[in-house]
Amino acid sequence: MAPRKPSARVTIRTVAADAGVSVAAVSKVLRNAYGVSDALRAKVQESITRLGYRPHAAARGMRGQSYTLGVILPDLTNPFFADIMAGIDAALERTEYQPLLGVGQSSPAVELELVDAMLDRQMDGLILLGPRMTIDRVAAIAERAPTVVMAHHPVGPTRFDTVNDDDQLGARLIVQHLAGMGYRSIVYFSQDLQFNESQVTYHREIGYRAAMTEAGLGRYISVVMAEQAPREVRTLVRQLLQGRPRPEAIFCWTDFIAFEALSVARELGLSVPDDVAIVGYDNTRYCDLAQNALTSIDQSGQLLGLQAARLLVERIKGREEAEHLVITPRLVVRASTVRKNAVSTGN
Amino acid sequence: MAPRKPSARVTIRTVAADAGVSVAAVSKVLRNAYGVSDALRAKVQESITRLGYRPHAAARGMRGQSYTLGVILPDLTNPFFADIMAGIDAALERTEYQPLLGVGQSSPAVELELVDAMLDRQMDGLILLGPRMTIDRVAAIAERAPTVVMAHHPVGPTRFDTVNDDDQLGARLIVQHLAGMGYRSIVYFSQDLQFNESQVTYHREIGYRAAMTEAGLGRYISVVMAEQAPREVRTLVRQLLQGRPRPEAIFCWTDFIAFEALSVARELGLSVPDDVAIVGYDNTRYCDLAQNALTSIDQSGQLLGLQAARLLVERIKGREEAEHLVITPRLVVRASTVRKNAVSTGN
DNA sequence: TTGTAGGCGTTATCAT
DNA sequence: ATGATAACGCCTACAA
């Protein structure tokens, strides 16, 4: 059997020899560094493409940058992350930076291992997506490498950037919409995390409470929390829907929970939205399916991802002051909150 | 502002000095290499944990392994990949290997770029998940690095391993089930790829055709192909369902397509499964939702992922002969293919 | 503007 | 069983 690598590696030295210049010159061309003549640059570029030279990332990582960005996602089941990644990819399209993903399994411990693994690998920067770890851990990471955090709100001054949608506003839009449609007892279905004021669920709760009060529905305020395991979600939703009095609407902190809620409602023979309205958050592609027709909040994952990648590259290039971007969310109304009997009453 | 890294790096030299041994000795302990006394090993281990030493992956990548494995997924929207990743993570749990993901965007060009990027970064091996590139490209990659391919069937002898479910059998199970329930005109809804006999869709088509013929339904054989963009899928499904005669059942090559089909059926006011039965493939978690209740094929993503990671590590450790694993799929029947009017006729 | 000479942290060969 | 040391490919003072 032939050995795995028959052809010798093309190094910066090969290129230099081929182009008849020094290695330093080639390195400078590679990094767009100062002090190379156009003629030299052209010669080198020509040799690079002809020889098919590719810089050895590990060697780069030892001295300079690795041109690798780490992205840590909590899980792979939420299609919302696909939109975000699309945005990140788009932002990095024309740069040398390569995003590489790790899955944090919604576990602070795994997330931290992943961060270490990525920094061991000399990644130039990190994007943390909805991290479950506490915010002081995030702060500690930001001391070690340029960091941008998404779907995780800053508290106080930070040394990392954040990109979020306005979760309080999103929740308000939902409550206002539901109240406008005549729903009064609106339950907020949140996630069971150790109390952490940087979590999006917490911000949505604030918005929910404020909007309920403003709408004169303060006495209907009710927050339920569940682990995100489907079974537990279903059990809790079932309890809610079988309770007396049954809530008129459920605002789920993310679409996935809302889909489970739709499922339970159907199993119980309840009509959505006539017996109970259901709302999600993230406006993932499954909301559009007729069997879901889920009213939800669109926070434009693409845009969020794009901005996050942009901020990270800026920071790698030297920016020191933290930037905190907030995207304005948009309500997308579908059948899950629009009563059909409005028509039948008319007849 | 404090500089990013106030504390000097703990290198193998620091550890060696601390433990009072040579650098070579530490390196041997790190790699479990032959020829270290227990006493020395203990001393070194102690220093390592006390100093919190972590090997510098880039430096490792220059001489030895990087202990990084690249996983390339076609996209992030299919929750089936979450199961596979869970299996990969589980297999790698107790090893030094770290899986890192790249998203191929269902594009051969992007996939190839990703492969280059990963090999530039000295990854020790690659797992290609449902690659869209042609099989000779895959073969070329396998010459450059240890490679395991999932959801992509080998043709002829190869230098890479594969892990697949028995796609022909899966398709047969579906057709047999549908035929047994009395459905005759069963359409196979496949993916529009340049013809490539290694794609799973192709294997499912073979199984479909064979099973249809065996069931005496040869004259009903009908294959439709679509790009995977939701809009095109919906358009084609709508054409199918509005056609005369309308097919009695649609077997979709993957769950996601089936969910779209369910949606279109509902929009057209058709009952599933009374007017049309719908089947998916992968048994993703959304199949269980009452609003989908989708009959599907379970191919145990966890197991697939686990095996793939195991094979890859074996191969990195030196195995030369290719292994080709095939997992047996299992039919999971739900309401989307079980006629309800069997009951109503009884009344 | 271009070239030379370490040095980054690790592995692996070769002595001892 | 242990240790000294030469690579690995690139970056960056510094020198020319």
Side-chain angles (χ1 to χ4, degrees):
Chain A
M1 280 292 121
R4 185 74 67 180
K5 294 189 179 189
S7 65
R9 186 169 234 294
V10 176
T11 78
I12 198 172
R13 243 176 282 276
T14 324
V15 176
D18 181 272
V21 301
S22 74
V23 278
V26 179
S27 175
K28 282 181 183 168
V29 171
L30 251 31
R31 291 171 292 122
N32 297 309
Y34 181 79
V36 273
S37 66
D38 285 356
L40 188 144
R41 175 181 303 278
K43 259 195 305 187
V44 171
Q45 290 287 17
E46 207 273 327
S47 291
I48 286 178
T49 51
R50 187 154 39 73
L51 296 173
Y53 164 78
R54 299 185 59 102
H56 190 297
R60 278 187 153 181
M62 296 222 44
R63 296 288 303 156
Q65 300 186 39
S66 66
Y67 295 97
T68 312
L69 308 182
V71 180
I72 298 185
L73 316 174
D75 64 75
L76 243 36
T77 59
N78 195 333
F80 178 52
F81 301 143
D83 297 337
I84 291 178
M85 273 312 299
I88 293 178
D89 280 336
L92 266 22
E93 183 86 350
R94 287 273 150 218
T95 75
E96 271 210 278
Y97 293 98
Q98 174 69 47
L100 253 23
L101 279 57
V103 183
Q105 301 172 20
S106 299
S107 143
V110 176
E111 285 175 355
L112 290 169
E113 280 175 37
L114 220 35
V115 167
D116 282 336
M118 286 179 165
L119 294 184
D120 287 347
R121 285 163 181 75
Q122 297 302 104
M123 295 208 177
D124 297 333
L126 259 30
I127 295 179
L128 271 29
L129 186 35
R132 300 297 204 266
M133 68 182 88
T134 54
I135 196 149
D136 47 301
R137 302 276 196 175
V138 176
I141 291 165
E143 294 298 320
R144 299 207 279 155
T147 303
V148 175
V149 184
M150 304 181 70
H152 194 91
H153 295 265
V155 315
T158 67
R159 291 204 43 189
F160 52 88
D161 303 325
T162 61
V163 180
N164 282 286
D165 94 312
D166 188 336
D167 285 304
Q168 297 193 21
L169 177 56
R172 298 175 90 99
L173 290 176
I174 288 173
V175 171
Q176 285 162 8
H177 163 67
L178 288 172
M181 302 296 287
Y183 296 99
R184 290 167 308 162
S185 59
I186 304 166
V187 173
Y188 172 49
F189 198 103
S190 184
Q191 198 177 15
D192 194 7
L193 294 168
Q194 58 180 352
F195 183 83
N196 189 330
E197 53 183 319
S198 53
Q199 299 291 345
V200 294
T201 45
Y202 175 70
H203 283 248
R204 289 174 198 170
E205 181 172 337
I206 294 176
Y208 160 79
R209 288 180 184 275
M212 286 294 279
T213 306
E214 286 164 18
L217 302 175
R219 67 194 188 87
Y220 291 109
I221 287 175
S222 164
V223 176
V224 172
M225 297 199 178
E227 302 281 345
Q228 76 166 10
R231 191 183 313 178
E232 180 163 0
V233 170
R234 299 174 74 83
T235 305
L236 262 165
V237 172
R238 189 168 289 112
Q239 279 174 20
L240 270 179
L241 293 183
Q242 290 181 321
R244 293 289 170 272
R246 187 204 308 133
E248 295 169 11
I250 305 179
F251 157 27
C252 305
W253 80 273
T254 187
D255 288 342
F256 169 68
I257 306 289
F259 297 142
E260 295 285 353
L262 287 172
S263 176
V264 172
R266 171 179 288 239
E267 282 167 9
L268 295 177
L270 296 175
S271 154
V272 175
D274 292 326
D275 295 321
V276 60
I278 292 176
V279 187
Y281 207 106
D282 289 344
N283 196 33
T284 46
R285 54 198 292 184
Y286 297 108
C287 292
D288 250 336
L289 297 172
Q291 62 268 43
N292 294 326
L294 183 68
T295 295
S296 191
I297 292 285
D298 190 313
Q299 44 173 325
S300 182
Q302 286 240 187
L303 183 56
L304 289 172
L306 193 92
Q307 299 287 32
R310 189 178 60 71
L311 286 181
L312 184 55
V313 171
E314 277 182 25
R315 194 165 259 279
I316 289 170
K317 299 219 163 125
R319 176 166 51 75
E320 284 289 338
E321 328 76 61
E323 285 206 24
H324 300 289
L325 261 44
V326 177
I327 307 286
T328 302
R330 187 172 59 89
L331 180 74
V332 180
V333 177
R334 296 194 183 83
S336 74
T337 57
V338 181
R339 284 205 179 89
K340 287 160 284 191
N341 60 7
V343 178
S344 48
T345 353
N347 293 353
Chain B
M1 281 289 121
R4 186 73 68 181
K5 293 188 179 191
S7 66
R9 185 170 235 294
V10 177
T11 78
I12 199 171
R13 244 176 281 275
T14 325
V15 176
D18 182 273
V21 300
S22 74
V23 197
V26 179
S27 176
K28 281 180 184 168
V29 170
L30 252 31
R31 291 172 291 125
N32 299 309
Y34 180 78
V36 271
S37 67
D38 286 356
L40 186 143
R41 176 181 304 278
K43 260 195 305 188
V44 172
Q45 291 286 16
E46 206 275 326
S47 292
I48 286 178
T49 50
R50 188 154 38 72
L51 297 172
Y53 164 78
R54 299 185 60 103
H56 191 297
R60 280 186 151 181
M62 295 220 44
R63 296 286 305 160
Q65 300 185 39
S66 65
Y67 295 97
T68 311
L69 307 182
V71 180
I72 298 184
L73 315 174
D75 64 78
L76 243 36
T77 59
N78 194 333
F80 178 52
F81 300 143
D83 297 337
I84 291 178
M85 274 311 299
I88 292 177
D89 281 335
L92 266 22
E93 184 86 348
R94 287 273 151 217
T95 74
E96 270 210 279
Y97 293 99
Q98 174 69 48
L100 252 24
L101 278 58
V103 183
Q105 300 173 22
S106 299
S107 143
V110 176
E111 285 174 354
L112 290 169
E113 277 175 38
L114 220 35
V115 168
D116 282 336
M118 286 180 165
L119 294 184
D120 287 345
R121 285 162 181 77
Q122 298 302 106
M123 296 210 176
D124 297 333
L126 259 31
I127 295 179
L128 270 30
L129 187 33
R132 299 296 204 269
M133 67 182 86
T134 54
I135 195 148
D136 48 298
R137 301 277 195 175
V138 176
I141 291 164
E143 295 297 320
R144 299 205 279 156
T147 303
V148 175
V149 184
M150 303 182 72
H152 195 91
H153 295 266
V155 314
T158 67
R159 292 202 44 188
F160 52 88
D161 303 324
T162 61
V163 180
N164 282 287
D165 95 311
D166 187 337
D167 285 304
Q168 296 193 23
L169 177 56
R172 298 176 90 98
L173 291 176
I174 288 173
V175 171
Q176 285 162 10
H177 164 66
L178 288 172
M181 301 297 287
Y183 296 100
R184 292 168 304 164
S185 60
I186 304 166
V187 173
Y188 173 49
F189 198 102
S190 184
Q191 197 176 17
D192 195 7
L193 294 167
Q194 58 180 350
F195 184 84
N196 189 332
E197 53 183 321
S198 53
Q199 300 289 345
V200 296
T201 45
Y202 175 71
H203 284 247
R204 289 173 196 169
E205 181 173 335
I206 294 176
Y208 160 80
R209 289 180 184 273
M212 287 294 278
T213 306
E214 284 164 18
L217 301 175
R219 68 194 188 86
Y220 291 109
I221 287 175
S222 163
V223 177
V224 172
M225 298 199 178
E227 303 281 346
Q228 75 167 10
R231 189 184 314 178
E232 181 163 0
V233 170
R234 300 174 73 83
T235 305
L236 262 165
V237 172
R238 187 168 292 113
Q239 280 174 18
L240 270 180
L241 293 182
Q242 290 181 322
R244 294 290 171 268
R246 186 204 308 133
E248 295 170 10
I250 304 179
F251 157 28
C252 305
W253 80 273
T254 188
D255 287 343
F256 168 68
I257 306 290
F259 297 142
E260 295 285 355
L262 287 173
S263 176
V264 173
R266 169 178 290 239
E267 282 168 8
L268 295 177
L270 297 175
S271 155
V272 175
D274 292 327
D275 296 321
V276 60
I278 292 175
V279 187
Y281 207 105
D282 290 344
N283 196 34
T284 45
R285 54 197 294 182
Y286 296 108
C287 292
D288 249 336
L289 297 172
Q291 63 267 43
N292 294 327
L294 183 67
T295 295
S296 190
I297 293 284
D298 190 314
Q299 45 173 325
S300 182
Q302 284 237 192
L303 184 56
L304 289 171
L306 194 92
Q307 299 286 34
R310 189 179 60 72
L311 286 181
L312 184 55
V313 172
E314 277 181 27
R315 193 166 260 279
I316 289 169
K317 297 221 164 123
R319 177 166 52 74
E320 284 288 340
E321 328 76 61
E323 284 205 25
H324 299 289
L325 263 42
V326 178
I327 307 287
T328 302
R330 187 172 59 88
L331 180 74
V332 180
V333 177
R334 295 194 183 84
S336 74
T337 57
V338 180
R339 283 204 179 89
K340 286 160 286 189
N341 59 8
V343 178
S344 50
T345 353
N347 292 352

